[in-house]
């Protein structure tokens, strides 16, 4: 029975493998085929690309903030200044729509974090946007408007982070890896707070990369030694005093034009933080990512789904920038939600994928 017959709505993704190099070469791109027969039974193979729409998948270890990132993405897309252009977000089905509505209420009105995912489920939204008038806009004589109109599917197999652990063998773990393989771009969330305490984040990346590579190899999608995906590597919870103060101590931050702290060199910050978190597995994560993805397809960011606490009228008081406090042992959001670098990774992936314009 087809997905349509089951009542499941799926947006058609674009999954275009590219040849090695800065510019994709469609005429020499490898052809997609079904996965080899030894792929786990019942697990969908990467789907053949159709149309001009891309699919972006989300990936991260437990506590990395996947559910909160999902909840904040629509809020970030609707940033009132129009810094990211104009976007419309349409849910693919009732479950995805309910998640969007409920999680938005939890963040903005209840001021609490959405409950972490306990069971796997497919969530999917269609983003349709126009970058005209923004710093991301592309200008081409006679085609500027069309060139700045973007459409992508943010489709997430919302699986608990534990499914990405090394040698995690069950159907949900296989489905999660298959879903990443069928994406064009990946947003990888790295939680420095968890890594500082547990030092086990590499375990949730290494096994998944191995399975992802094997699956893409079976599909004929590898680009030389590299996976075909673009990837945005996000150091999460940048608003947390522990993370932000480390960045300030290392002189990695400065105030942006809106009075909000920014990291001008996020890749350098990632590498420095890997050294600062002495004894952690963060350096191994950097090595694994750089050996698995083409350098031109790796993008680094420091992100916060809820953002910094701001003064009335805007701007961040660097003496009181935290936006979370503990109430009865539970984290509570103090003020308004100001997603920081949540939409930026997605746009970077889109523009990287769309270089053929």
């Amino acid at each position: 029975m087809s997905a349509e017959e089951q009542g499941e709505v799926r947006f058609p993704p674009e999954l275009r493998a590219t040849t090695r190099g800065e510019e994709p070469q469609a005429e020499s791109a490898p052809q997609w085929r079904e996965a080899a027969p030894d792929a786990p039974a019942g697990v969908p193979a990467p789907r053949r690309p159709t149309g001009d729409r891309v699919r972006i998948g989300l990936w991260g270890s437990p506590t990395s903030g996947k559910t909160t990132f999902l909840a904040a993405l629509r809020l970030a897309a609707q940033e009132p200044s129009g810094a990211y252009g104009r976007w419309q977000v349409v849910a693919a089905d009732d479950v995805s729509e309910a998640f969007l509505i409920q999680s938005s209420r939890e963040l903005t009105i209840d001021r609490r974090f959405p409950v972490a995912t306990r069971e796997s489920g497919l969530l999917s939204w269609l983003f349709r946007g126009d970058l005209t008038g923004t710093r991301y806009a592309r200008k081409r004589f006679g085609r500027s408007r069309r060139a700045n109109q973007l459409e992508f599917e943010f489709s997430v197999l919302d699986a608990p982070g534990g499914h990405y652990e090394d040698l995690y063998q069950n159907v949900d773990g296989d489905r999660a890896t298959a879903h990443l393989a069928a994406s064009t771009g990946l947003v990888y969330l790295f939680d420095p707070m968890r890594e500082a305490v547990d030092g086990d984040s590499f375990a949730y990346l290494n096994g998944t990369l191995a399975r992802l590579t094997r699956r893409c190899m079976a599909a004929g999608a590898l680009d030389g030694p590299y996976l075909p995906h673009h990837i945005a590597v996000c150091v999460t919870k940048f608003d947390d005093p522990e993370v932000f103060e480390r960045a300030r101590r290392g002189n990695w931050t400065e105030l942006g034009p809106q009075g909000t702290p920014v990291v001008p060199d996020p890749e350098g910050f990632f590498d420095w933080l890997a050294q600062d978190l002495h004894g952690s597995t963060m350096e191994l994560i950097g090595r694994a990512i750089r050996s698995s993805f083409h350098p031109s397809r790796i993008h680094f960011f420091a992100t916060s789904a809820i953002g910094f606490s701001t003064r009335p009228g805007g701007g961040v008081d660097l003496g009181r920038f935290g936006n979370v406090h503990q109430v009865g042992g539970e984290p509570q959001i103090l003020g308004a939600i100001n997603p920081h670098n949540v939409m930026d990774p997605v746009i970077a992936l889109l523009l990287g994928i769309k270089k053929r314009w």
Side-chain angles (χ1 to χ4, degrees):
M1 182 180 295
S2 68
E4 289 79 7
E5 292 170 334
Q6 292 175 338
E8 179 182 3
V9 179
R10 291 179 181 270
F11 297 120
E14 176 192 66
L15 186 55
R16 301 194 177 190
T18 62
T19 58
R20 184 175 178 180
E22 290 290 332
E23 294 292 334
Q25 300 293 327
E27 64 272 15
S28 59
Q31 296 297 309
W32 286 80
R33 57 184 175 83
E34 294 298 320
D38 64 348
V43 178
R47 290 187 285 174
R48 187 178 182 86
T50 58
D52 291 327
R53 191 175 297 156
V54 299
R55 174 200 277 181
I56 295 176
L58 187 63
W59 173 21
S61 63
T63 76
S64 61
K66 296 185 299 299
T67 305
T68 307
F69 187 94
L70 285 173
L73 188 59
R74 180 170 176 247
L75 299 176
Q78 297 175 338
E79 208 279 330
S81 72
Y84 304 112
R86 302 301 175 187
W87 291 88
Q88 185 60 263
V89 184
V90 183
D93 51 44
D94 290 345
V95 174
S96 301
E97 183 176 77
F99 173 87
L100 209 61
I101 295 171
Q102 178 62 27
S103 61
S104 295
R105 176 184 176 85
E106 289 172 338
L107 282 179
T108 60
I109 298 176
D110 300 337
R111 293 190 177 180
R112 59 185 175 87
F113 292 94
V115 177
T117 302
R118 298 182 183 277
E119 297 181 1
S120 296
L122 183 65
L123 299 173
S124 189
W125 302 274
L126 176 64
F127 283 67
R128 304 188 72 179
D130 190 338
L131 299 180
T132 301
T134 73
R135 60 192 174 100
Y136 303 102
R138 297 194 172 200
K139 297 180 180 179
R140 282 192 174 185
F141 181 75
R143 295 183 56 198
S144 60
R145 182 167 182 80
R146 182 177 178 183
N148 288 309
Q149 291 178 341
L150 300 178
E151 182 173 296
F152 70 93
E153 175 195 357
F154 201 86
S155 183
V156 182
L157 185 64
D158 193 22
H163 287 321
Y164 299 107
E165 189 176 6
D166 276 349
L167 305 180
Y168 197 103
Q169 295 296 329
N170 68 8
V171 173
D172 284 338
D174 289 331
R175 287 180 63 217
T177 306
H179 191 78
L180 296 180
S183 300
T184 324
L186 304 174
V187 175
Y188 171 69
L189 304 183
F190 172 79
D191 179 5
M193 301 294 295
R194 177 190 177 90
E195 182 64 12
V197 175
D198 296 330
D200 63 353
S201 299
F202 182 63
Y204 295 91
L205 176 132
N206 187 42
T208 301
L209 271 180
R211 291 191 293 270
L212 186 59
T213 302
R214 178 168 65 90
R215 183 172 289 275
C216 288
M217 180 73 174
L222 289 183
D223 178 8
Y226 301 113
L227 290 164
H229 309 77
H230 287 249
I231 184 169
V233 180
C234 301
V235 177
T236 64
K237 304 177 182 177
F238 185 53
D239 65 289
D240 189 283
E242 176 67 23
V243 180
F244 182 61
E245 290 297 351
R246 282 179 185 266
R248 292 179 70 184
R249 174 166 53 82
N251 295 318
W252 291 100
T253 66
E254 61 184 44
L255 287 181
Q258 305 300 321
T260 300
V262 297
V263 179
D265 179 12
E267 182 173 5
F269 173 57
F270 182 94
D271 292 335
W272 176 85
L273 189 59
Q275 296 296 320
D276 199 50
L277 293 176
H278 183 68
S280 77
T281 63
M282 189 174 178
E283 187 174 357
L284 293 175
I285 290 173
R287 292 180 191 173
I289 289 173
R290 289 183 173 112
S291 66
S292 299
F293 299 90
H294 191 282
S296 67
R297 300 178 193 143
I298 304 174
H299 315 268
F300 288 85
F301 297 89
T303 71
S304 169
I306 64 170
F308 296 90
S309 177
T310 58
R311 301 188 185 98
V316 175
D317 181 353
L318 295 182
R320 301 179 61 185
F321 59 85
N323 205 14
V324 177
H325 66 160
Q326 297 291 321
V327 177
E330 295 294 328
Q332 188 81 20
I333 300 171
L334 281 171
I337 301 298
N338 302 290
H340 177 71
N341 274 0
V342 170
M343 197 64 186
D344 304 72
V346 174
I347 292 179
L349 291 175
L350 290 173
L351 296 183
I353 293 166
K354 292 289 188 180
K355 276 186 178 179
R356 64 182 177 275
W357 284 351

